[in-house]
Amino acid sequence: MRSDTIKKGPDRAAARAMLRATGMDDDAIAKPLVAVVHTWSNVSPCNINLRDLADEVAEGIRAAGGTPVEFNTIAVTDGIAMGTSGMRNSLASREVITDSIELAVNGHCLDAMVVLCGCDKTIPAAAMALGRLNIPGVALYGGSIDHGKRNGKSITIQNVFEAIGAHGAGKISDEELKDVEVKACPGAGACGGQYTANTMAMVLTALGVSPVGYNDIPAPHADKPGVARRCGELVMECLRENRRPRDIMTREAFINAARLAAATAGSTNAALHLLAIAAEAEVKLDLEDFNTASEQTPVVADLMPAGRYSAVEMFEAGGVAEVSRILRDAKLLHDVPTVTGRSYFEEIDAAPGATADHPVFRSAKDPLKPRGGYSILYGNLAPDGCVLKLAGQGRTDFEGPARVFDCEEDAFAAVQHGDIQAGDVIVIRHEGPAGGPGMREMLGVTAALVGRGLGNDVALITDGRFSGATHGFMVGHVAPEAARGGPIALLADGDTIRIDSATRTLSTDADLDTRRQQWQPPRPRVTRGALAKYAQLVGSASEGAITQPSAPYQWRNR
């Protein structure tokens, strides 16, 4: 066992003395030591149930012959940080969570681990840590929040952000805004549409590191503690059979994950996070894989933000197993290994069906949309690529004059003051991984546009990101980013910008070459602390915005 390093032999008497002080006896010390890592915090509903689930995981580990060792790491809650300077810390927290799991688990030479995750960045961080450490491990998502109800309709946090825009436009009163605020989030769990958290929870299942169906179970559901306990038992099976994450997270599993994200019109953040997870698992993956997956995969799930139903309703309709069965029948999925020891197809065949009659899903022959919810564009404004969010609007191209802003706050103020007109292309730059720093999400701006009735009449491009709750004609992850000399840095108000999904280009006819001669890199926004270190180490969004101690990770050099 790895843990023998810290607990066997006369030289380790001091370490054993420390372990005894925690309540371990000879028997407990002799057993495998298994990390139970979670991102519990009481600052938001997304992670507030994870400590209770950790207790259940620990019981499962003990019952299966192991000794649990619990660690807590951080979380930054996007729904609270959104639209503020605090949001700069969100993507950086993905790296800190991954690093902290590595340090705690390797620092104590632990034998295996179960990682419990909740809000957006904690989920890819769980998979990144599993891929990096490559010791037997299981991931479990704490579950979706239940949807709120208002005027007989399901609502989520997305509706609150859009109500802010409607309020700013004078369309709803203070009392109506307060009513949406009060009813949107009824309890524990992460944001309740097919936003980033639920998209990435599905990704964990597709990658095989979470058992099929476990992540679908909502946070308040009576079955959640039982599956947490089962994860504790399962990690001991993985340990006995030496079943490791890199044995499971194959290239085919990553393609499955990209297809499931496309089929559910999930968050564009899936591309960013899957690239980062693949780098940790040493699997070759690039932006073009996401375009191929989206081109070949129809949208078969009618889910928020662009659709009608919440994650809880998706669970009741059969969840990830039902989506997977639809795609398998269309020959769009690979059969791959999973953490349970059974193949993915065996897992979805064994999963229960729908518990309620919900029209959430369509067949691949009669989809909501013939192709997935995003496209990868290039062109003279994004030589290294960017992500166009297609789901939620019917148009496939957009041309208009640029309205250029050097930060999210200025763009949001312009929207709220009525300074943005139909036909404009909003450009928000210097919000990339290094320039932000931290690649903030633009949900405040995009939701305000929807709230003011401009969601289908305005386009937005940014070197930042979008929330999974964003819908409309939006282009994010523009690379290279402005702070590192990307062409987006050279745009000026009034430049004509064309977004064309047919030719897969983001372009302008402005004379960028002449402007480049006058361009100077901007001063860093942050010069000390975690974000300053992150800005120096982070790579391009086109490669997952991962941090490396030297040059950005390049697969072509391996």
Side-chain angles (χ1 to χ4, degrees):
M1 289 185 289
R2 277 168 43 108
S3 61
D4 288 346
T5 304
I6 65 165
K7 67 188 185 184
K8 278 200 169 183
D11 292 347
R12 306 315 304 151
R16 292 191 297 274
M18 298 287 283
L19 294 174
R20 292 180 194 283
T22 70
M24 292 188 197
D25 57 17
D26 286 343
D27 185 53
I29 293 171
K31 292 175 180 177
L33 302 184
V34 180
V36 181
V37 187
H38 55 81
T39 55
W40 176 87
S41 168
N42 67 357
V43 75
S44 79
C46 310
N47 306 286
I48 203 166
N49 63 328
L50 298 185
R51 186 192 282 171
D52 293 336
L53 294 180
D55 289 340
E56 299 292 340
V57 171
E59 285 302 311
I61 291 169
R62 291 189 189 97
T67 299
V69 180
E70 184 178 354
F71 295 98
N72 186 199
T73 185
I74 67 162
V76 174
T77 304
D78 291 4
I80 294 174
M82 196 74 69
T84 74
S85 61
M87 191 65 193
R88 292 194 174 101
N89 299 274
S90 177
L91 186 59
S93 77
R94 185 190 71 180
E95 313 306 304
V96 172
I97 295 163
T98 305
D99 291 350
S100 66
I101 294 173
E102 174 195 359
L103 294 173
V105 172
N106 279 347
H108 300 91
C109 301
L110 301 180
D111 299 300
M113 61 182 182
V114 177
V115 187
L116 298 167
C117 47
C119 60
D120 293 5
K121 306 311 172 295
T122 70
I123 306 168
M128 290 167 70
L130 288 168
R132 183 185 296 181
L133 273 67
N134 199 33
I135 63 173
V138 180
L140 178 65
Y141 171 53
S144 173
I145 195 172
D146 202 354
H147 49 262
K149 283 288 185 181
R150 183 172 186 264
N151 299 331
K153 295 182 179 179
S154 300
I155 64 170
T156 70
I157 193 68
Q158 170 192 342
N159 300 90
V160 184
F161 281 101
E162 291 176 4
I164 293 169
H167 180 267
K171 293 184 176 182
I172 65 173
S173 66
D174 292 349
E175 291 75 19
E176 289 173 300
L177 177 60
K178 180 67 174 292
D179 191 48
V180 176
E181 172 191 330
V182 168
K183 292 176 177 175
C185 298
C191 299
Q194 192 67 345
Y195 313 144
T196 302
N198 286 311
T199 300
M200 293 309 299
M202 176 179 281
V203 161
L204 292 185
T205 303
L207 292 178
V209 294
S210 295
V212 170
Y214 285 23
N215 290 348
D216 296 350
I217 299 171
H221 197 280
D223 290 347
K224 201 72 183 188
V227 299
R229 196 174 309 115
R230 173 62 188 141
C231 285
E233 298 167 350
L234 180 58
V235 77
M236 295 302 296
E237 292 177 18
C238 293
L239 182 60
R240 286 192 294 270
E241 297 173 18
N242 196 30
R243 194 181 303 141
R244 295 171 181 259
R246 291 189 191 177
D247 301 329
I248 296 165
M249 290 195 289
T250 62
R251 174 170 165 79
E252 290 75 18
F254 279 91
I255 299 304
N256 282 356
R259 289 188 182 279
L260 282 164
T264 57
S267 171
T268 52
N269 283 311
L272 187 81
H273 295 321
L274 276 166
L275 288 168
I277 298 165
E280 297 293 358
E282 297 191 352
V283 171
K284 185 174 181 179
L285 196 72
D286 59 38
L287 273 177
E288 275 301 290
D289 290 316
F290 295 94
N291 197 78
T292 301
S294 189
E295 280 186 335
Q296 296 176 353
T297 308
V299 177
V300 298
D302 190 4
L303 299 172
M304 299 175 179
R308 295 176 291 172
Y309 300 107
S310 70
V312 172
E313 291 162 317
M314 177 178 164
F315 162 69
E316 293 168 346
V320 68
E322 185 61 25
V323 182
S324 298
R325 286 190 282 259
I326 293 168
L327 296 187
R328 179 187 60 181
D329 292 348
K331 302 188 184 310
L332 292 171
L333 287 187
H334 301 281
D335 197 13
V336 292
T338 76
V339 72
T340 66
R342 297 192 294 189
S343 77
Y344 193 73
F345 288 177
E346 289 173 327
E347 283 286 291
I348 64 175
D349 284 338
T355 60
D357 184 18
H358 278 298
V360 175
F361 299 118
R362 302 271 287 270
S363 74
K365 294 180 180 179
D366 182 31
L368 282 89
K369 292 180 179 292
R371 60 155 294 156
Y374 49 82
S375 181
I376 306 302
L377 310 183
Y378 299 92
N380 69 347
L381 287 178
D384 292 345
C386 60
V387 183
L388 166 65
K389 190 157 191 173
L390 290 167
Q393 40 76 40
R395 65 196 306 171
T396 58
D397 64 277
F398 197 108
E399 183 174 316
R403 295 293 311 280
V404 181
F405 302 93
D406 285 333
C407 67
E408 179 189 7
E409 288 86 351
D410 290 350
F412 180 76
V415 173
Q416 291 294 75
H417 293 155
D419 296 336
I420 301 299
Q421 307 299 318
D424 286 345
V425 180
I426 300 171
V427 178
I428 307 178
R429 62 192 181 191
H430 298 294
E431 292 287 6
M439 204 180 181
R440 290 193 290 180
E441 294 178 347
M442 305 295 142
L443 178 58
V445 177
T446 60
L449 288 168
V450 171
R452 297 182 75 89
L454 291 170
N456 292 320
D457 300 317
V458 170
L460 189 155
I461 71 171
T462 180
D463 51 9
R465 297 180 294 129
F466 298 119
S467 164
T470 292
H471 57 112
F473 208 81
M474 308 293 166
V475 181
H477 309 198
V478 173
E481 61 176 290
R484 290 184 171 165
I488 191 175
L490 308 175
L491 287 171
D493 277 343
D495 288 345
T496 298
I497 294 176
R498 181 166 180 78
I499 306 163
D500 191 332
S501 64
T503 61
R504 296 178 55 202
T505 54
L506 174 67
S507 61
T508 182
D509 56 8
D511 185 2
L512 302 182
D513 291 337
T514 299
R515 293 178 192 175
R516 182 168 295 283
Q517 298 174 20
Q518 306 298 321
W519 182 80
Q520 294 291 327
R523 289 176 175 243
R525 282 180 168 148
V526 181
T527 57
R528 59 185 299 176
L531 285 180
K533 289 186 283 187
Y534 176 82
Q536 290 181 356
L537 297 174
V538 71
S540 171
S542 65
E543 297 176 332
I546 57 174
T547 54
Q548 291 292 326
S550 54
Y553 201 91
Q554 297 287 342
W555 276 108
R556 64 184 71 93
N557 293 335
R558 289 185 59 77

